[in-house]
Amino acid sequence: MQRKIIHIDMDAFYASVEQRDNPELRGKPVAVGFDKERSVVCTASYEARKFGVRSALPSVTARKKCPELIFVKPHFEKYTLVSKQIREIFKEYTDLVEPLSLDEAYLDVTENKKNIASATQIAGEIKQKIKEVCGLTASAGVSYNKFLAKIASDYQKPDGLFVIKPEDAMPFIEELDIEKFFGIGKVTAQKMHKSGIHKGKDMKKLSETELTKLFGKQGNYYFNIARGIDERAVIAQRERKSLGTEFTFEKDLCYKFEVVTELYKIEKHLMEIIQKYNYFGKTLTLKVKYADFKQHTKSKTFTEDICEFKQLHKATKDLLNTVDFNDTNQKIRLLGLSVSNFSLSKPVEKQLELSLG
Ligand code: TTP
Ligand code: MG
């Protein structure tokens, strides 16, 4: 069965958020980033792009290209919130959502929660909801694979909705400049030009062996995409619900001061991984396992995310005070601490090594 894939990408993401929140910036050339000697532009509003200002351009060069450019410092917490909001909108339609960054994702809507047959309709609805909920525009691409959906979302930016139907795919790819192919950077494009490959149709003339000889492992990918073939699945990333660390002691703990000392080490380690992986949550859970393997957990939810060690230490102390050591009359074999209730559920990027031992 033909798949239905949507690629969504917010328009001039950081800059649009800043323009949304400050009407004085609307309609003006805006760069998000710092106007400093060694800084680069994170992104530019579409007004600034007319002057050639874009992501990763040194701020100094950007200023030269566009003297009236307005620099705005980034507000990452706002971008993270929007990211969460758009992912919630995607989830209304399917759980098969593969985020590529804060502002971009693939969705497989072949089967979807609303039983809508048309992927184009879903893409339109999503764009509308993003406008209503976030006050921002996104561009959507619809096709039967990731490669084409991504190209399609870029094709009519900003506020675009472009569909590449199976029957239109080949003529579209044949006329497409190879720079527009996802995964082909400047260097590869130059190499392709030298081999006489400028458009999709030039790439299609070469055999798989020739392409592999020229471009190594990528040759097979190029051979397929020149024919509109891309079987890569949309992979929904599992969302981490909690992040924690625990430790089983070689000798059971008998006294509260020992517990406090050991917990301090666990708190330190937990804070390290919270900050390393940016998992900020509001709920803290303390786990205590006794020598007889009976286990108690105590949780507390705070109004704010736990971001700093001071907060974590105070919260752990509060939780520890709710554990009645005298009552149990037991030695402790394991202690653990975890945070949950994250502000933004982040995909699991790496297998975390959580063991202290
Ligand atoms: P993009 O989606 O690449 O760019 P964009 O959303 O600003 O513009 P458009 O999609 O309309 O072309 O990146 C999303 C955000 O990621 C962008 O707003 C800022 C950030 N970013 C950087 O900080 N540095 C970079 O080099 C790039 C490419 C993006
Ligand atoms: Mg974008």
Side-chain angles (χ1 to χ4, degrees):
M1 190 172 72
Q2 196 82 262
R3 290 181 298 157
K4 294 172 186 171
I5 311 292
I6 300 176
H7 179 260
I8 305 266
D9 182 7
M10 303 297 288
D11 302 319
F13 184 40
Y14 295 2
S16 305
V17 172
E18 300 304 334
Q19 287 181 317
R20 177 195 69 183
D21 295 347
N22 182 356
E24 281 178 21
L25 298 174
R26 291 182 200 159
K28 298 201 179 130
V30 172
V32 176
F34 295 95
D35 190 8
K36 286 190 197 151
E37 191 65 36
R38 294 157 63 89
S39 301
V40 293
V41 171
C42 291
T43 195
S45 68
Y46 275 80
E47 294 84 355
R49 290 184 194 195
K50 287 185 201 141
F51 296 85
V53 180
R54 19 199 113 260
S55 299
L57 193 72
S59 298
V60 178
T61 318
R63 163 79 60 216
K64 276 188 199 137
K65 281 180 183 271
C66 178
E68 60 272 45
L69 187 65
I70 305 167
F71 276 89
V72 183
K73 71 170 183 352
H75 295 94
F76 293 107
E77 66 297 340
K78 288 187 184 183
Y79 316 143
T80 309
L81 175 65
V82 173
S83 188
K84 187 186 179 209
Q85 289 171 325
I86 62 171
R87 283 182 202 175
E88 273 166 15
I89 294 170
F90 302 157
K91 290 276 169 75
E92 287 177 30
Y93 294 87
T94 177
D95 288 327
L96 268 181
V97 176
E98 181 179 332
L100 298 179
S101 63
L102 282 184
D103 85 324
E104 228 183 296
Y106 288 114
L107 282 68
D108 186 330
V109 295
T110 317
E111 282 171 23
N112 58 79
K113 294 180 187 174
K114 300 196 186 225
N115 290 321
I116 299 173
S118 159
T120 311
Q121 185 189 329
I122 295 178
E125 287 187 16
I126 288 176
K127 272 167 56 75
Q128 185 57 34
K129 284 187 182 170
I130 291 177
K131 212 169 270 172
E132 285 163 13
V133 175
C134 314
L136 296 166
T137 64
S139 293
V142 181
S143 198
Y144 59 90
N145 63 36
K146 281 179 161 183
F147 168 69
L148 289 166
K150 174 130 174 125
I151 288 176
S153 79
D154 202 39
Y155 200 67
Q156 281 185 343
K157 255 184 176 295
D159 204 9
L161 170 53
F162 192 68
V163 184
I164 303 177
K165 292 191 180 138
E167 59 270 30
D168 300 329
M170 271 335 294
F172 184 86
I173 295 168
E174 283 175 2
E175 285 312 312
L176 198 68
D177 292 330
I178 50 109
E179 294 72 1
K180 299 252 171 173
F181 283 47
F182 181 61
I184 298 184
K186 256 192 196 152
V187 178
T188 312
Q190 273 171 359
K191 202 169 165 193
M192 287 193 171
H193 289 164
K194 276 189 195 145
S195 311
I197 308 172
H198 297 276
K199 286 181 182 285
K201 60 184 167 202
D202 306 321
M203 198 190 271
K204 207 175 158 199
K205 281 184 201 142
L206 298 183
S207 70
E208 194 170 354
T209 318
E210 284 168 317
L211 282 168
T212 310
K213 216 182 260 173
L214 282 169
F215 306 106
K217 273 189 283 179
Q218 288 298 315
N220 166 266
Y221 172 68
Y222 298 147
F223 180 80
N224 283 324
I225 58 171
R227 285 156 185 78
I229 300 167
D230 176 12
E231 304 285 3
R232 286 174 304 156
V234 173
I235 299 168
Q237 278 158 330
R238 206 159 51 84
E239 285 182 354
R240 176 170 282 278
K241 298 275 184 238
S242 73
L243 179 71
T245 181
E246 56 183 46
F247 195 68
T248 307
F249 308 104
E250 273 176 28
K251 234 178 106 224
D252 295 339
L253 311 181
C254 304
Y255 304 103
K256 189 167 176 184
F257 80 88
E258 292 177 308
V259 175
V260 171
T261 312
E262 291 305 328
L263 258 184
Y264 189 83
K265 290 186 213 161
I266 293 172
E267 288 163 31
K268 280 275 179 202
H269 185 244
L270 179 60
M271 201 67 232
E272 237 170 67
I273 52 181
I274 287 176
Q275 289 177 340
K276 183 166 177 192
Y277 296 101
N278 287 322
Y279 282 99
F280 299 112
K282 290 186 175 56
T283 303
L284 183 71
T285 302
L286 169 69
K287 177 165 144 188
V288 182
K289 201 186 257 179
Y290 298 100
D292 66 357
F293 284 86
K294 274 195 190 122
Q295 186 174 302
H296 287 281
T297 54
K298 297 266 181 188
S299 293
K300 195 170 172 188
T301 298
F302 301 87
T303 48
E304 281 176 17
D305 287 340
I306 299 162
C307 304
E308 286 173 16
F309 183 74
K310 237 168 79 182
Q311 261 174 304
L312 176 66
H313 184 56
K314 162 92 177 56
T316 309
K317 227 164 106 184
D318 290 350
L319 276 179
L320 192 61
N321 285 336
T322 65
V323 180
D324 190 350
F325 286 92
N326 301 323
D327 198 31
T328 57
N329 200 18
Q330 280 252 35
K331 295 175 180 175
I332 291 172
R333 61 173 282 121
L334 174 147
L335 284 170
L337 268 184
S338 61
V339 274
S340 53
N341 201 354
F342 299 124
S343 302
L344 175 70
S345 312
K346 289 191 62 173
V348 181
E349 287 110 283
K350 288 178 192 170
Q351 196 54 44
L352 305 180
E353 179 49 67
L354 300 181
S355 154
L356 267 179

